Amino acid sequence: MGAINWLALLLTHPLEFRTLVQFYLYHEQKRDIAALKEHPTSGWDRASMRRCWEFLDMTSRSFSAVIKELEGDLARTICLFYLVLRGLDTIEDDMTIPDHVKQPILRSFHIHTVTPGWKYDGCGPNEKDRQLLVEYDTVVEEVNLLLPEYKNIIIDIALKMETGMADYAHKAATTGSIYLETVAEYDLYCHYVAGLVGEGLSRIFSASGKESPSIGNQLELSNSMGLLLQKTNIIRDYREDVDDSRFFWPREIWGRPEYGFKEMKEMYATDEDTVRRATYAQSGMVLDALRHATDALDYLRLLRNQSVFNFCAIPATMAIATLELCFMNKEMFQRNIKIRKAEAASLIMRSTNPREVGHIFREYARKIHAKAVPSDPNFIRLSVACGKIEAWCEHNYPSFVKLSSGASREQTLDPSDARTAIVIKEQKFDAELAKRRRVESLRNGIAAKDAAAGGPGPYDNKEISTKELMMYVAAAFTLILALSMAIVWLMVKYTA
């Protein structure tokens, strides 16, 4: 930002100005991949890898920073993973490539990715990531230098993704159907282009040893994380995609009879009635994306490496903030909208642990619910979706448990909350139970010690059966009767 922009921000949005200043002053860069000590893992000492890092900056402004801060060789591996999938996606998106040319390239892309010297210059001149494919041989060279476990994961995911992309591209080219008809078809498409990315990342995290092996098997949660991000981008990029004849919104959502649209491009008309109906269709898309929110939060709770957590959490919080920005926002139909830089900076600084991320999701869910209107056909279901995020936070991080702001982060209970009294009673009960167990353990220890010495101790708790008890009672009664008769006999004898 230039000096004039900073001054304008200070005058018009002073709180945002403060947030950005705090971010630039206090947010520390975790890693410098160009540093000499990082060369063995970042590959910066090789010209081919430096070019790959440049391509990462060119193709992904949002992911580039968080990828570079990953620990060890994870950063380089995921950089290459991203570039491979970006190259694949570029070919699939390019409408200037005929289907008979596109199909063999797509279906063999996993082979091209490890074929030395392979590159492609057939993309249209206006394709924004065209240069990546023109110099794709650089990516191939670096992929072949990866550890086998990383390389195999990347190739496997590329194979799965290219198959799905090729099927959809062929359907559009041969049937003339350029729309996704159902939500199920929409989910499957998003799985191919984003859910598989989540699967691949989870498997790479596990292979690196920085996350537990079980993370690589969390396919459902990994898929949900990918779908949340992809669907958010599809919602936000409505105008750009429609202008390029890419229609990713499923007709089952936007084509409902009460909305009255026959084509997606009809939604960007500016008359009041069209805007109202278009925002209802928009809310249906946001509702569909929100059903992946709690799965994404569950996934984040499983992560244990801080750099991996940041890598996953920051895009997730950006996604929920973007959904809130798009919701009931008529500007989204006219242009590409993004959250403000200060808001993004605040999210980056806050997205450091699962509790805080859960609270961020709850904040934006509340904002979405506050903007919802009862006349929207999706109103009830939106309320339920937002309520699920609220319930997730309350279940995992109850609001009556407070954390101190100091370094110790001690927990305290809110005395005004009724649940505090229940917790206190449970704590007292648990303490009393623990005390009883200690006493019992002490007694059992003494008894065991006496038994080892050769006899029962004073605290022997051996149980006596009913039959044995009756025998003892009968013996005692017989003894007392015999003694009584003996005493009577002696009294008679000596008094006679």
Side-chain angles (χ1 to χ4, degrees), residues 173-314:
T174 57
T175 67
S177 175
I178 56 177
Y179 291 110
L180 299 174
E181 294 296 331
T182 66
V183 172
E185 191 176 4
Y186 178 48
D187 284 347
L188 183 59
Y189 174 79
C190 290
H191 165 73
Y192 280 125
V193 300
L196 287 172
V197 179
E199 177 188 332
L201 288 172
S202 295
R203 290 167 61 185
I204 291 173
F205 296 154
S206 294
S208 72
K210 292 178 172 58
E211 293 295 343
S212 67
S214 63
I215 288 293
N217 298 322
Q218 293 292 342
L219 301 185
E220 185 173 352
L221 296 184
S222 300
N223 185 66
S224 285
M225 176 68 81
L227 264 60
L228 174 64
L229 305 186
Q230 180 66 21
K231 289 183 176 183
T232 299
N233 290 337
I234 286 175
I235 294 169
R236 183 199 61 194
D237 295 341
Y238 163 84
R239 186 57 187 263
E240 179 183 340
D241 287 339
V242 168
D243 288 346
D244 291 339
S245 298
R246 295 194 294 259
F247 304 98
F248 298 119
W249 289 26
R251 191 190 295 270
E252 184 179 340
I253 292 179
W254 65 264
R256 290 171 60 174
E258 56 265 43
Y259 302 154
F261 296 113
K262 297 188 180 301
E263 298 290 339
M264 276 183 63
K265 62 183 180 181
E266 296 174 3
M267 284 188 273
Y268 56 70
T270 57
D271 62 281
E272 184 177 345
D273 180 63
T274 301
V275 169
R276 177 183 59 81
R277 291 183 290 112
T279 53
Y280 291 166
Q282 177 196 66
S283 76
M285 292 294 294
V286 172
L287 170 63
D288 176 75
L290 285 176
R291 64 189 170 94
H292 305 294
T294 53
D295 276 354
L297 292 172
D298 283 334
Y299 180 81
L300 292 172
R301 290 191 76 224
L302 299 176
L303 302 177
R304 64 187 185 187
N305 180 276
Q306 188 63 54
S307 69
V308 171
F309 180 85
N310 293 346
F311 172 78
C312 297
I314 291 172

Side-chain angles (χ1 to χ4, degrees), residues 90-91 93-98 102 120-131 133-134:
T90 300
I91 292 175
D93 281 347
D94 193 344
M95 300 299 182
T96 66
I97 304 175
K102 181 181 291 188
Y120 182 70
D121 62 356
C123 288
N126 297 324
E127 192 64 35
K128 61 181 180 179
D129 295 327
R130 181 181 188 278
Q131 192 61 32
L133 289 166
V134 171

Side-chain angles (χ1 to χ4, degrees), residues 228-229 231-237 282 286 314-329 332 336-340 343 347 364 368 371:
L228 174 64
L229 305 186
K231 289 183 176 183
T232 299
N233 290 337
I234 286 175
I235 294 169
R236 183 199 61 194
D237 295 341
Q282 177 196 66
V286 172
I314 291 172
T317 54
M318 296 286 186
I320 193 70
T322 302
L323 286 176
E324 187 274 328
L325 175 66
C326 292
F327 184 69
M328 289 294 171
N329 187 346
M332 191 205 77
N336 190 284
I337 58 177
K338 294 182 179 180
I339 58 177
R340 296 179 65 86
E343 186 175 7
L347 291 173
Y364 284 103
I368 289 173
K371 291 198 295 185

Side-chain angles (χ1 to χ4, degrees), residues 70-88:
L70 285 165
E71 292 181 6
D73 59 355
L74 263 183
R76 178 169 60 97
T77 303
I78 292 179
C79 169
L80 295 171
F81 182 43
Y82 179 86
L83 293 179
V84 169
L85 301 187
R86 172 58 69 181
L88 177 61

